[in-house]
Protein backbone atom coordinates (compact mmCIF):
# COMPACT_ATOMS: atom_id res chain seq x y z
CA UNK A 1 0.00 0.00 0.00
CA UNK A 2 2.87 2.42 0.79
CA UNK A 3 4.43 1.71 -2.61
CA UNK A 4 1.14 2.19 -4.45
CA UNK A 5 0.55 5.53 -2.70
CA UNK A 6 4.10 6.66 -3.50
CA UNK A 7 3.76 5.85 -7.19
CA UNK A 8 0.36 7.54 -7.36
CA UNK A 9 2.04 10.68 -5.99
CA UNK A 10 4.46 10.45 -8.92
CA UNK A 11 1.50 10.68 -11.34
CA UNK A 12 1.47 7.02 -12.41
CA UNK A 13 -1.85 5.50 -13.47
CA UNK A 14 -3.24 2.55 -11.43
CA UNK A 15 -2.05 -0.15 -13.87
CA UNK A 16 1.43 1.32 -13.93
CA UNK A 17 1.39 1.55 -10.12
CA UNK A 18 0.67 -2.18 -9.78
CA UNK A 19 3.14 -3.33 -12.44
CA UNK A 20 5.86 -1.05 -11.12
CA UNK A 21 5.28 -2.28 -7.57
CA UNK A 22 5.66 -5.90 -8.70
CA UNK A 23 8.89 -5.13 -10.58
CA UNK A 24 10.39 -3.31 -7.64
CA UNK A 25 9.25 -5.93 -5.13
CA UNK A 26 11.38 -8.51 -6.94
CA UNK A 27 14.42 -6.28 -6.42
CA UNK A 28 13.86 -5.43 -2.77
CA UNK A 29 14.90 -8.83 -1.34
CA UNK A 30 18.42 -8.60 -2.76
CA UNK A 31 18.53 -4.87 -2.09
CA UNK A 32 17.80 -5.37 1.62
CA UNK A 33 20.71 -7.76 1.94
CA UNK A 34 23.05 -5.43 0.04
CA UNK A 35 21.92 -2.40 2.05
CA UNK A 36 22.70 -3.90 5.43
CA UNK A 37 25.79 -5.95 4.57
CA UNK A 38 27.67 -3.62 2.19
CA UNK A 39 31.04 -2.45 3.54
CA UNK A 40 31.24 1.27 4.35
CA UNK A 41 34.77 2.65 4.40
CA UNK A 42 33.78 6.24 3.63
CA UNK A 43 32.95 8.98 6.13
CA UNK A 44 29.76 10.23 4.52
CA UNK A 45 27.86 13.24 5.86
CA UNK A 46 25.09 12.58 8.40
CA UNK A 47 21.52 12.44 7.23
CA UNK A 48 18.03 11.13 7.95
CA UNK A 49 17.65 7.34 8.15
CA UNK A 50 16.14 5.72 5.09
CA UNK A 51 14.68 2.37 4.18
CA UNK A 52 16.29 -0.27 1.99
CA UNK A 53 16.13 0.30 -1.76
CA UNK A 54 14.18 3.58 -1.55
CA UNK A 55 16.38 5.40 0.94
CA UNK A 56 14.68 8.71 1.77
CA UNK A 57 12.46 8.93 -1.30
CA UNK A 58 9.24 8.12 0.53
CA UNK A 59 9.71 10.97 2.99
CA UNK A 60 10.55 13.77 0.54
CA UNK A 61 8.37 16.87 0.73
CA UNK A 62 7.29 18.50 -2.55
CA UNK A 63 8.76 21.85 -1.40
CA UNK A 64 12.31 20.56 -1.43
CA UNK A 65 14.00 23.87 -0.62
CA UNK A 66 12.13 24.31 2.68
CA UNK A 67 12.26 20.56 3.43
CA UNK A 68 16.04 20.50 2.99
CA UNK A 69 16.36 23.67 5.09
CA UNK A 70 14.50 21.88 7.90
CA UNK A 71 16.81 18.85 7.65
CA UNK A 72 19.84 21.16 7.82
CA UNK A 73 18.65 22.41 11.20
CA UNK A 74 18.83 18.81 12.43
CA UNK A 75 21.83 17.36 10.60
CA UNK A 76 23.97 20.42 9.94
CA UNK A 77 25.11 22.46 6.92
CA UNK A 78 26.11 19.35 4.94
CA UNK A 79 23.99 16.21 4.97
CA UNK A 80 23.11 13.30 2.74
CA UNK A 81 19.82 11.94 1.45
CA UNK A 82 19.60 8.58 -0.28
CA UNK A 83 17.46 8.97 -3.41
CA UNK A 84 16.99 5.39 -4.51
CA UNK A 85 20.36 4.35 -5.91
CA UNK A 86 21.48 8.00 -6.17
CA UNK A 87 23.29 9.67 -3.28
CA UNK A 88 22.26 13.27 -2.74
CA UNK A 89 24.43 15.76 -0.86
CA UNK A 90 22.80 18.99 0.35
CA UNK A 91 24.84 22.08 1.28
CA UNK A 92 23.13 24.81 3.28
CA UNK A 93 25.78 27.27 4.47
CA UNK A 94 28.06 29.86 2.85
CA UNK A 95 31.21 27.96 3.91
CA UNK A 96 30.01 24.71 2.35
CA UNK A 97 28.94 26.53 -0.82
CA UNK A 98 32.38 28.16 -1.03
CA UNK A 99 34.14 24.79 -0.83
CA UNK A 100 32.14 23.42 -3.75
CA UNK A 101 31.67 26.48 -5.97
CA UNK A 102 35.08 28.12 -5.46
CA UNK A 103 37.70 26.01 -3.68
CA UNK A 104 36.88 22.86 -5.69
CA UNK A 105 35.12 24.53 -8.60
CA UNK A 106 36.72 22.33 -11.26
CA UNK A 107 35.85 19.08 -9.47
CA UNK A 108 32.19 20.13 -9.17
CA UNK A 109 31.92 21.79 -12.59
CA UNK A 110 29.85 18.97 -14.08
CA UNK A 111 26.09 18.51 -13.80
CA UNK A 112 24.06 15.54 -12.69
CA UNK A 113 21.85 15.47 -15.77
CA UNK A 114 18.30 14.27 -15.24
CA UNK A 115 16.37 12.21 -17.79
CA UNK A 116 14.06 15.19 -18.30
CA UNK A 117 17.04 17.51 -18.78
CA UNK A 118 18.51 15.23 -21.45
CA UNK A 119 15.21 15.03 -23.28
CA UNK A 120 14.63 18.78 -23.18
CA UNK A 121 18.08 19.69 -24.50
CA UNK A 122 18.73 17.20 -27.28
CA UNK A 123 20.69 14.82 -25.08
CA UNK A 124 22.14 17.46 -22.76
CA UNK A 125 23.85 19.39 -25.58
CA UNK A 126 23.24 22.85 -24.13
CA UNK A 127 25.18 25.20 -21.87
CA UNK A 128 23.18 24.35 -18.74
CA UNK A 129 23.56 20.56 -18.68
CA UNK A 130 26.54 19.72 -20.90
CA UNK A 131 29.71 18.40 -19.24
CA UNK A 132 32.47 20.83 -18.39
CA UNK A 133 34.83 20.65 -21.33
CA UNK A 134 35.72 22.07 -24.77
CA UNK A 135 32.18 22.05 -26.24
CA UNK A 136 30.74 23.76 -23.16
CA UNK A 137 33.48 26.40 -23.18
CA UNK A 138 32.96 27.17 -26.88
CA UNK A 139 29.17 27.47 -26.56
CA UNK A 140 29.33 29.61 -23.45
CA UNK A 141 31.97 31.88 -24.98
CA UNK A 142 30.00 32.58 -28.15
CA UNK A 143 26.77 33.22 -26.21
CA UNK A 144 28.53 35.51 -23.76
CA UNK A 145 30.34 37.52 -26.42
CA UNK A 146 27.63 37.69 -29.07
CA UNK A 147 24.47 38.02 -26.96
CA UNK A 148 25.06 38.47 -23.24
CA UNK A 149 28.02 40.84 -22.96
CA UNK A 150 27.53 44.42 -21.80
CA UNK A 151 28.70 45.68 -25.20
CA UNK A 152 26.08 43.64 -27.05
CA UNK A 153 23.37 44.50 -24.55
CA UNK A 154 24.16 48.21 -24.89
CA UNK A 155 23.82 47.93 -28.66
CA UNK A 156 20.29 46.46 -28.48
CA UNK A 157 18.81 48.82 -25.90
CA UNK A 158 16.45 50.12 -28.59
CA UNK A 159 15.04 46.61 -28.92
CA UNK A 160 14.40 46.28 -25.19
CA UNK A 161 12.83 49.74 -25.12
CA UNK A 162 10.56 48.92 -28.04
CA UNK A 163 9.28 45.71 -26.45
CA UNK A 164 8.74 47.25 -23.00
CA UNK A 165 6.76 50.11 -24.57
CA UNK A 166 4.65 47.58 -26.49
CA UNK A 167 3.76 46.10 -23.11
CA UNK A 168 2.85 49.58 -21.83
CA UNK A 169 0.52 50.15 -24.79
CA UNK A 170 -1.16 46.80 -24.19
CA UNK A 171 -1.59 47.44 -20.46
CA UNK A 172 -2.99 50.89 -21.18
CA UNK A 173 -5.60 49.29 -23.42
CA UNK A 174 -6.61 47.11 -20.47
CA UNK A 175 -6.88 49.89 -17.89
CA UNK A 176 -9.55 49.04 -15.33
CA UNK A 177 -9.56 45.34 -16.31
CA UNK A 178 -7.82 42.40 -14.64
CA UNK A 179 -4.53 41.43 -16.29
CA UNK A 180 -2.19 38.50 -15.70
CA UNK A 181 0.83 40.75 -15.57
CA UNK A 182 3.31 37.89 -15.41
CA UNK A 183 2.22 36.68 -18.85
CA UNK A 184 2.76 40.12 -20.33
CA UNK A 185 6.19 40.48 -18.78
CA UNK A 186 7.05 36.95 -19.93
CA UNK A 187 6.11 37.75 -23.52
CA UNK A 188 8.06 41.02 -23.38
CA UNK A 189 11.21 39.23 -22.27
CA UNK A 190 10.58 36.42 -24.75
CA UNK A 191 10.28 38.92 -27.61
CA UNK A 192 13.57 40.55 -26.63
CA UNK A 193 15.32 37.18 -26.52
CA UNK A 194 13.91 35.82 -29.81
CA UNK A 195 14.72 39.11 -31.53
CA UNK A 196 18.33 38.76 -30.38
CA UNK A 197 18.42 35.09 -31.37
CA UNK A 198 16.92 35.24 -34.84
CA UNK A 199 14.96 38.46 -35.30
CA UNK A 200 11.46 37.27 -34.40
CA UNK A 201 8.75 38.58 -32.06
CA UNK A 202 5.02 38.27 -31.29
CA UNK A 203 2.93 41.38 -31.86
CA UNK A 204 -0.61 42.67 -32.17
CA UNK A 205 -3.66 40.53 -31.57
CA UNK A 206 -1.56 37.44 -30.88
CA UNK A 207 0.05 39.02 -27.85
CA UNK A 208 -2.35 37.93 -25.11
CA UNK A 209 -3.11 34.42 -26.37
CA UNK A 210 0.47 33.55 -27.25
CA UNK A 211 1.77 35.06 -24.03
CA UNK A 212 -0.40 32.63 -22.09
CA UNK A 213 0.37 29.71 -24.41
CA UNK A 214 4.14 30.14 -24.43
CA UNK A 215 4.27 30.61 -20.68
CA UNK A 216 2.16 27.52 -20.15
CA UNK A 217 4.50 25.44 -22.32
CA UNK A 218 7.60 26.76 -20.56
CA UNK A 219 5.94 26.21 -17.16
CA UNK A 220 5.21 22.59 -18.07
CA UNK A 221 8.79 22.13 -19.25
CA UNK A 222 10.31 23.51 -16.05
CA UNK A 223 7.80 21.47 -14.01
CA UNK A 224 9.02 18.27 -15.67
CA UNK A 225 12.62 19.29 -15.05
CA UNK A 226 11.93 19.69 -11.34
CA UNK A 227 9.61 16.78 -10.56
CA UNK A 228 10.90 13.56 -8.90
CA UNK A 229 11.49 10.96 -11.60
CA UNK A 230 12.05 7.23 -11.03
CA UNK A 231 14.32 7.16 -14.07
CA UNK A 232 16.81 9.33 -12.17
CA UNK A 233 16.61 7.42 -8.88
CA UNK A 234 16.75 3.96 -10.45
CA UNK A 235 18.68 4.18 -13.74
CA UNK A 236 17.90 0.54 -14.51
CA UNK A 237 14.24 1.53 -14.91
CA UNK A 238 14.94 4.53 -17.16
CA UNK A 239 14.17 2.60 -20.34
CA UNK A 240 10.57 2.14 -19.21
CA UNK A 241 9.91 5.87 -18.55
CA UNK A 242 7.37 4.76 -15.95
CA UNK A 243 6.06 8.25 -15.24
CA UNK A 244 6.00 9.29 -18.87
CA UNK A 245 8.29 12.24 -18.15
CA UNK A 246 10.42 11.76 -21.26
CA UNK A 247 7.34 11.19 -23.40
CA UNK A 248 5.77 14.43 -22.17
CA UNK A 249 9.05 16.30 -22.53
CA UNK A 250 9.53 15.06 -26.09
CA UNK A 251 6.03 16.34 -26.94
CA UNK A 252 6.96 19.78 -25.62
CA UNK A 253 10.31 19.65 -27.37
CA UNK A 254 8.64 19.01 -30.72
CA UNK A 255 6.77 22.33 -30.39
CA UNK A 256 10.03 24.20 -29.92
CA UNK A 257 11.87 22.12 -32.49
CA UNK A 258 9.47 23.15 -35.23
CA UNK A 259 10.20 26.81 -34.46
CA UNK A 260 13.96 26.20 -34.33
CA UNK A 261 13.96 24.30 -37.65
CA UNK A 262 12.03 27.10 -39.32
CA UNK A 263 14.34 29.80 -38.01
CA UNK A 264 17.47 27.84 -38.91
CA UNK A 265 16.19 27.34 -42.44
CA UNK A 266 15.34 31.02 -42.84
CA UNK A 267 18.64 32.25 -41.43
CA UNK A 268 20.64 29.89 -43.65
CA UNK A 269 18.78 31.20 -46.71
CA UNK A 270 19.40 34.81 -45.64
CA UNK A 271 23.08 34.04 -45.16
CA UNK A 272 23.35 32.51 -48.64
CA UNK A 273 21.19 34.93 -50.61
CA UNK A 274 21.79 38.50 -49.49
CA UNK A 275 25.28 38.44 -47.97
CA UNK A 276 24.30 40.94 -45.26
CA UNK A 277 26.21 41.26 -42.04
CA UNK A 278 25.21 38.58 -39.57
CA UNK A 279 23.82 40.14 -36.42
CA UNK A 280 21.80 37.39 -34.70
CA UNK A 281 23.15 34.79 -32.30
CA UNK A 282 21.76 32.06 -34.53
CA UNK A 283 24.20 33.11 -37.28
CA UNK A 284 27.15 32.79 -34.95
CA UNK A 285 26.00 29.38 -33.72
CA UNK A 286 25.54 28.10 -37.28
CA UNK A 287 28.98 29.39 -38.22
CA UNK A 288 30.38 27.68 -35.14
CA UNK A 289 28.81 24.40 -36.28
CA UNK A 290 30.27 24.73 -39.78
CA UNK A 291 33.76 25.62 -38.54
CA UNK A 292 33.96 23.06 -35.72
CA UNK A 293 36.44 20.20 -35.92
CA UNK A 294 36.71 16.70 -34.51
CA UNK A 295 38.33 17.99 -31.32
CA UNK A 296 35.42 20.31 -30.54
CA UNK A 297 32.45 19.03 -32.54
CA UNK A 298 29.50 21.42 -32.52
CA UNK A 299 26.39 19.82 -34.01
CA UNK A 300 22.94 21.07 -34.97
CA UNK A 301 21.76 19.63 -31.64
CA UNK A 302 24.17 21.95 -29.81
CA UNK A 303 22.70 24.87 -31.77
CA UNK A 304 19.08 23.94 -30.97
CA UNK A 305 19.83 23.14 -27.33
CA UNK A 306 21.52 26.51 -26.87
CA UNK A 307 18.51 28.26 -28.39
CA UNK A 308 16.35 26.33 -25.92
CA UNK A 309 18.53 27.55 -23.03
CA UNK A 310 18.13 31.16 -24.09
CA UNK A 311 14.38 31.00 -24.78
CA UNK A 312 13.36 29.08 -21.67
CA UNK A 313 15.98 30.15 -19.14
CA UNK A 314 15.96 33.86 -19.89
CA UNK A 315 12.23 34.40 -20.21
CA UNK A 316 10.97 32.30 -17.30
CA UNK A 317 13.35 33.38 -14.53
CA UNK A 318 13.20 37.11 -15.33
CA UNK A 319 9.41 37.23 -15.62
CA UNK A 320 9.00 35.29 -12.35
CA UNK A 321 11.30 37.72 -10.56
CA UNK A 322 9.34 40.74 -11.84
CA UNK A 323 6.05 39.11 -10.85
CA UNK A 324 7.30 38.37 -7.33
CA UNK A 325 8.72 41.90 -6.97
CA UNK A 326 5.47 43.57 -8.01
CA UNK A 327 3.46 41.31 -5.70
CA UNK A 328 5.74 42.06 -2.73
CA UNK A 329 5.56 45.82 -3.39
CA UNK A 330 1.77 45.66 -3.54
CA UNK A 331 1.76 43.59 -0.36
CA UNK A 332 3.72 46.37 1.38
CA UNK A 333 2.38 49.67 -0.02
CA UNK A 334 5.08 51.68 1.77
CA UNK A 335 7.68 49.93 -0.41
CA UNK A 336 5.72 50.72 -3.56
CA UNK A 337 5.35 54.35 -2.48
CA UNK A 338 9.06 54.76 -1.80
CA UNK A 339 9.96 53.23 -5.17
CA UNK A 340 7.52 55.52 -6.99
CA UNK A 341 8.86 58.57 -5.16
CA UNK A 342 12.38 57.62 -6.21
CA UNK A 343 11.25 57.25 -9.82
CA UNK A 344 9.49 60.62 -9.77
CA UNK A 345 12.63 62.30 -8.46
CA UNK A 346 14.88 60.71 -11.09
CA UNK A 347 12.59 60.32 -14.12
CA UNK A 348 9.94 62.97 -13.53
CA UNK A 349 6.17 62.90 -13.90
CA UNK A 350 6.23 63.79 -17.59
CA UNK A 351 8.78 61.23 -18.80
CA UNK A 352 9.05 57.51 -19.33
CA UNK A 353 11.82 55.45 -17.80
CA UNK A 354 15.00 54.97 -19.80
CA UNK A 355 17.77 52.53 -18.97
CA UNK A 356 20.05 55.51 -18.38
CA UNK A 357 17.96 56.22 -15.26
CA UNK A 358 18.48 52.78 -13.75
CA UNK A 359 21.85 53.39 -12.11
CA UNK A 360 20.26 56.34 -10.26
CA UNK A 361 17.61 54.13 -8.63
CA UNK A 362 19.32 52.43 -5.67
CA UNK A 363 16.07 51.64 -3.85
CA UNK A 364 14.54 49.88 -6.86
CA UNK A 365 17.76 47.93 -7.29
CA UNK A 366 17.47 46.95 -3.61
CA UNK A 367 13.93 45.72 -4.36
CA UNK A 368 15.32 43.44 -7.07
CA UNK A 369 18.07 42.12 -4.80
CA UNK A 370 15.61 41.46 -1.98
CA UNK A 371 13.25 39.67 -4.38
CA UNK A 372 16.09 37.40 -5.53
CA UNK A 373 17.05 36.77 -1.91
CA UNK A 374 13.61 35.78 -0.66
CA UNK A 375 12.32 34.23 -3.92
CA UNK A 376 15.54 32.82 -5.37
CA UNK A 377 14.95 31.97 -9.03
CA UNK A 378 16.69 28.57 -8.75
CA UNK A 379 16.45 27.78 -5.03
CA UNK A 380 18.69 24.69 -5.26
CA UNK A 381 20.64 25.95 -8.28
CA UNK A 382 21.22 23.23 -10.90
CA UNK A 383 22.63 20.06 -9.27
CA UNK A 384 26.40 19.68 -9.48
CA UNK A 385 28.22 16.37 -9.83
CA UNK A 386 31.81 15.73 -8.68
CA UNK A 387 34.05 14.26 -11.36
CA UNK A 388 36.07 12.46 -8.67
CA UNK A 389 35.62 11.42 -5.06
CA UNK A 390 36.58 14.33 -2.84
CA UNK A 391 36.15 15.81 0.63
CA UNK A 392 33.90 18.70 1.67
CA UNK A 393 33.51 19.86 5.25
CA UNK A 394 35.55 16.87 6.40
CA UNK A 395 33.14 14.39 4.77
CA UNK A 396 33.60 12.15 1.74
CA UNK A 397 31.61 13.15 -1.33
CA UNK A 398 31.67 10.20 -3.74
CA UNK A 399 32.15 10.67 -7.47
CA UNK A 400 28.80 10.90 -9.28
CA UNK A 401 26.80 12.21 -6.29
CA UNK A 402 24.01 14.71 -6.92
CA UNK A 403 25.05 17.88 -5.06
CA UNK A 404 22.42 20.49 -4.18
CA UNK A 405 23.42 23.96 -3.01
CA UNK A 406 20.39 25.19 -1.08
CA UNK A 407 20.75 28.89 -1.86
CA UNK A 408 17.26 29.56 -0.49
CA UNK A 409 18.36 28.20 2.90
CA UNK A 410 21.43 30.45 2.86
CA UNK A 411 19.29 33.45 1.88
CA UNK A 412 16.87 32.84 4.77
CA UNK A 413 19.38 31.88 7.45
CA UNK A 414 18.62 33.97 10.59
CA UNK A 415 22.29 33.94 11.60
CA UNK A 416 23.09 35.82 8.36
CA UNK A 417 19.96 37.90 7.73
CA UNK A 418 17.87 39.81 10.26
CA UNK A 419 14.19 38.82 10.05
CA UNK A 420 15.02 36.66 7.03
CA UNK A 421 11.45 35.85 5.97
CA UNK A 422 10.43 39.51 5.89
CA UNK A 423 10.60 41.41 2.58
CA UNK A 424 12.79 44.43 3.37
CA UNK A 425 14.76 46.06 0.51
CA UNK A 426 16.53 48.46 2.88
CA UNK A 427 18.84 45.64 3.98
CA UNK A 428 20.59 46.03 0.60
CA UNK A 429 20.97 49.81 0.57
CA UNK A 430 24.27 49.69 2.45
CA UNK A 431 25.19 46.02 1.98
CA UNK A 432 28.01 45.12 -0.39
CA UNK A 433 26.14 42.41 -2.28
CA UNK A 434 26.19 41.98 -6.04
CA UNK A 435 25.45 39.15 -8.46
CA UNK A 436 29.04 38.04 -9.07
CA UNK A 437 28.90 35.05 -6.73
CA UNK A 438 31.87 36.29 -4.71
CA UNK A 439 29.80 36.84 -1.54
CA UNK A 440 28.64 33.39 -0.45
CA UNK A 441 25.91 34.85 1.75
CA UNK A 442 24.14 35.94 -1.44
CA UNK A 443 24.17 33.69 -4.51
CA UNK A 444 21.02 34.32 -6.58
CA UNK A 445 22.80 33.39 -9.83
CA UNK A 446 25.21 30.81 -8.42
CA UNK A 447 28.99 31.10 -8.46
CA UNK A 448 32.08 29.71 -10.12
CA UNK A 449 32.45 28.36 -13.63
CA UNK A 450 28.79 27.42 -13.93
CA UNK A 451 27.41 30.76 -12.72
CA UNK A 452 24.46 31.92 -14.81
CA UNK A 453 25.75 33.44 -18.07
CA UNK A 454 22.79 35.81 -18.38
CA UNK A 455 23.26 37.89 -15.23
CA UNK A 456 23.77 41.20 -17.07
CA UNK A 457 20.73 40.67 -19.28
CA UNK A 458 18.53 39.60 -16.37
CA UNK A 459 19.55 42.65 -14.36
CA UNK A 460 18.71 45.01 -17.22
CA UNK A 461 15.39 43.39 -18.12
CA UNK A 462 14.14 43.09 -14.54
CA UNK A 463 15.07 46.61 -13.48
CA UNK A 464 13.92 48.34 -16.66
CA UNK A 465 10.62 46.44 -16.86
CA UNK A 466 9.86 46.81 -13.15
CA UNK A 467 10.72 50.52 -13.15
CA UNK A 468 8.41 51.12 -16.11
CA UNK A 469 5.51 49.20 -14.55
CA UNK A 470 5.86 50.98 -11.21
CA UNK A 471 6.36 54.46 -12.67
CA UNK A 472 3.52 54.46 -15.22
CA UNK A 473 0.82 52.49 -13.39
CA UNK A 474 -0.88 52.01 -10.07
CA UNK A 475 -1.87 48.42 -9.36
CA UNK A 476 -4.82 46.98 -7.44
CA UNK A 477 -6.22 43.52 -6.80
CA UNK A 478 -9.67 42.69 -8.26
CA UNK A 479 -12.47 43.01 -5.74
CA UNK A 480 -12.96 39.86 -3.70
CA UNK A 481 -9.45 38.55 -4.45
CA UNK A 482 -6.53 38.27 -2.03
CA UNK A 483 -2.92 39.15 -2.70
CA UNK A 484 -0.78 36.04 -2.42
CA UNK A 485 3.04 35.98 -2.38
CA UNK A 486 3.50 32.27 -1.68
CA UNK A 487 5.79 30.10 -3.79
CA UNK A 488 5.54 26.93 -5.82
CA UNK A 489 8.74 24.90 -5.79
CA UNK A 490 10.39 23.64 -8.95
CA UNK A 491 13.79 23.83 -10.54
CA UNK A 492 12.56 27.42 -11.12
CA UNK A 493 10.63 29.03 -8.24
CA UNK A 494 7.25 30.47 -9.26
CA UNK A 495 4.31 32.20 -7.62
CA UNK A 496 1.83 29.62 -6.42
CA UNK A 497 -0.99 31.64 -7.99
CA UNK A 498 -0.48 34.00 -10.96
CA UNK A 499 -0.60 37.70 -10.13
CA UNK A 500 -3.88 39.09 -11.48
CA UNK A 501 -4.00 42.88 -11.12
CA UNK A 502 -5.83 45.94 -12.44
CA UNK A 503 -3.63 48.71 -13.92
CA UNK A 504 -4.56 52.39 -13.78
CA UNK A 505 -2.39 55.23 -15.15
CA UNK A 506 -0.31 57.15 -12.59
CA UNK A 507 0.75 60.01 -14.84
CA UNK A 508 -1.52 62.59 -16.40
CA UNK A 509 0.03 62.80 -19.87
CA UNK A 510 -1.68 60.19 -22.11
CA UNK A 511 1.09 60.45 -24.70
CA UNK A 512 3.39 58.58 -22.34
CA UNK A 513 1.25 55.48 -22.84
CA UNK A 514 1.18 55.60 -26.64
Amino acid sequence: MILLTFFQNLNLNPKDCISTTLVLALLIISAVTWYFLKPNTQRLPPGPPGIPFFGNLLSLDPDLHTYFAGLARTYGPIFKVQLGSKLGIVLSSPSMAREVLKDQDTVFANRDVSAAGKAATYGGSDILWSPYGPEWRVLRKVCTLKMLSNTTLDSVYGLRRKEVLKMVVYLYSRVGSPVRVGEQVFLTVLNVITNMLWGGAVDGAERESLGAEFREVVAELTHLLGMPNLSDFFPGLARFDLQGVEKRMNALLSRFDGIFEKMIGQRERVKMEDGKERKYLLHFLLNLKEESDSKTPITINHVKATLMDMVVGGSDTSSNTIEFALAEMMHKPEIMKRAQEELEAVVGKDNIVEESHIHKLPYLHAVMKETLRLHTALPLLVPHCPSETTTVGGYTIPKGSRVFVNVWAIHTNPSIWEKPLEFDPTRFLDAECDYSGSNFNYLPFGSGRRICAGVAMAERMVLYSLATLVHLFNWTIPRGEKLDVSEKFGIVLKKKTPLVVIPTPRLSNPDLYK
Side-chain angles (χ1 to χ4, degrees):
M1 181 59 71
I2 293 176
L3 294 182
L4 284 172
T5 302
F6 171 65
F7 294 131
Q8 287 167 350
N9 290 336
L10 294 178
N11 299 320
L12 291 171
N13 62 47
K15 291 183 179 179
D16 287 338
C17 291
I18 295 171
S19 61
T20 303
T21 302
L22 291 175
V23 170
L24 294 179
L26 294 176
L27 300 175
I28 287 179
I29 296 175
S30 58
V32 169
T33 302
W34 172 82
Y35 185 86
F36 285 107
L37 298 181
K38 65 176 179 177
N40 183 12
T41 60
Q42 300 174 324
R43 185 173 182 259
L44 297 175
I51 62 174
F53 194 72
F54 291 101
N56 304 110
L57 279 179
L58 302 184
S59 60
L60 290 182
D61 188 281
D63 291 325
L64 274 184
H65 61 316
T66 57
Y67 174 67
F68 283 164
L71 289 179
R73 289 191 286 272
T74 301
Y75 296 101
I78 177 171
F79 63 88
K80 65 177 173 64
V81 284
Q82 192 66 45
L83 307 172
S85 62
K86 175 70 68 172
L87 178 65
I89 305 294
V90 184
L91 312 172
S92 305
S93 74
S95 61
M96 294 295 104
R98 179 187 291 273
E99 282 200 52
V100 166
L101 301 178
K102 182 180 180 181
D103 300 343
Q104 301 191 60
D105 187 11
T106 305
V107 173
F108 288 93
N110 284 328
R111 302 298 198 190
D112 185 33
V113 189
S114 65
K118 287 182 181 178
T121 56
Y122 302 85
S125 302
D126 64 333
I127 298 174
L128 183 66
W129 296 106
S130 63
Y132 176 66
E135 290 89 353
W136 175 82
R137 284 193 290 268
V138 168
L139 289 172
R140 184 178 173 103
K141 181 177 180 180
V142 72
C143 289
T144 300
L145 291 177
K146 304 303 182 182
M147 182 171 174
L148 301 172
S149 69
N150 282 318
T151 300
T152 302
L153 292 171
D154 286 343
S155 70
V156 294
Y157 166 54
L159 168 61
R160 290 192 297 279
R161 186 179 192 274
K162 175 183 175 183
E163 293 301 330
V164 168
L165 293 181
K166 281 183 188 176
M167 176 176 62
V168 169
V169 171
Y170 174 81
L171 292 172
Y172 191 64
S173 73
R174 296 298 302 261
V175 162
S177 302
V179 175
R180 289 198 172 197
V181 70
E183 289 174 1
Q184 295 310 308
V185 172
F186 175 87
L187 189 54
T188 298
V189 179
L190 181 69
N191 276 348
V192 170
I193 291 172
T194 54
N195 259 302
M196 295 177 70
L197 291 175
W198 57 68
V202 177
D203 297 319
E206 294 181 307
R207 183 176 183 95
E208 185 167 18
S209 60
L210 284 179
E213 180 184 352
F214 268 106
R215 201 178 196 207
E216 184 178 332
V217 171
V218 171
E220 174 66 9
L221 190 147
T222 54
H223 167 69
L224 293 175
L225 286 174
M227 71 179 291
N229 186 359
L230 288 172
S231 296
D232 299 325
F233 306 140
F234 305 102
L237 300 176
R239 74 178 84 173
F240 303 110
D241 189 24
L242 292 171
Q243 293 163 251
V245 171
E246 290 182 66
K247 180 180 179 181
R248 290 160 64 188
M249 188 65 86
N250 286 330
L252 293 175
L253 183 64
S254 67
R255 300 174 72 173
F256 285 101
D257 193 69
I259 298 173
F260 297 157
E261 285 282 356
K262 180 180 178 181
M263 292 302 108
I264 288 170
Q266 288 180 354
R267 291 307 142 197
E268 287 185 326
R269 286 197 297 274
V270 168
K271 183 174 59 177
M272 290 185 293
E273 292 171 6
D274 62 16
K276 290 183 179 179
E277 182 183 356
R278 304 178 182 103
K279 57 183 178 180
Y280 300 118
L281 179 66
L282 180 53
H283 285 137
F284 294 105
L285 291 172
L286 291 173
N287 284 345
L288 197 64
K289 176 182 76 73
E290 294 168 1
E291 296 167 2
S292 66
D293 53 33
S294 58
K295 292 183 179 179
T296 313
I298 302 299
T299 67
I300 196 64
N301 280 349
H302 286 103
V303 173
K304 291 180 180 178
T306 303
L307 296 178
M308 178 71 83
D309 270 0
M310 299 294 145
V311 169
V312 175
S315 57
D316 200 34
T317 53
S318 293
S319 59
N320 287 331
T321 299
I322 294 168
E323 190 173 16
F324 270 123
L326 192 59
E328 289 285 5
M329 295 170 81
M330 293 177 66
H331 190 247
K332 287 192 168 183
E334 68 276 12
I335 295 177
M336 179 71 80
K337 181 180 178 182
R338 181 166 176 178
Q340 289 176 334
E341 289 174 348
E342 181 181 64
L343 282 159
E344 288 177 12
V346 173
V347 179
K349 292 187 176 182
D350 201 36
N351 290 309
I352 59 173
V353 178
E354 304 287 357
E355 273 194 2
S356 58
H357 296 127
I358 296 300
H359 73 280
K360 304 173 186 176
L361 301 170
Y363 187 74
L364 193 72
H365 204 160
V367 169
M368 177 181 172
K369 288 181 176 180
E370 178 69 343
T371 303
L372 289 169
R373 181 193 69 82
L374 191 56
H375 306 290
T376 310
L378 276 70
L380 301 177
L381 300 184
V382 178
H384 289 254
C385 182
S387 55
E388 61 187 54
T389 297
T390 186
T391 301
V392 173
Y395 294 103
T396 300
I397 309 300
K399 176 182 177 179
S401 304
R402 175 174 289 192
V403 178
F404 303 93
V405 181
N406 193 348
V407 174
W408 184 88
I410 295 172
H411 287 179
T412 56
N413 186 332
S415 67
I416 301 172
W417 306 93
E418 186 178 352
K419 297 180 180 178
L421 298 180
E422 181 178 322
F423 190 83
D424 179 14
T426 61
R427 71 175 84 240
F428 284 102
L429 290 178
D430 298 318
E432 294 183 2
C433 289
D434 56 24
Y435 306 125
S436 67
S438 57
N439 182 340
F440 288 86
N441 291 340
Y442 187 67
L443 300 167
F445 294 99
S447 182
R449 284 170 171 79
R450 302 303 289 249
I451 191 172
C452 174
V455 174
M457 184 170 181
E459 184 175 10
R460 291 173 189 237
M461 281 304 308
V462 170
L463 285 173
Y464 181 43
S465 302
L466 185 62
T468 299
L469 294 174
V470 170
H471 183 55
L472 291 181
F473 296 97
N474 285 317
W475 303 90
T476 55
I477 297 295
R479 182 172 297 180
E481 300 293 327
K482 290 185 178 180
L483 183 60
D484 176 31
V485 295
S486 58
E487 306 162 338
K488 178 181 179 182
F489 175 80
I491 191 170
V492 176
L493 204 64
K494 303 178 185 295
K495 277 189 87 282
K496 186 169 288 187
T497 56
L499 183 61
V500 179
V501 287
I502 299 173
T504 56
R506 282 192 69 242
L507 307 182
S508 58
N509 185 354
D511 291 337
L512 298 177
Y513 300 87
K514 297 179 182 178

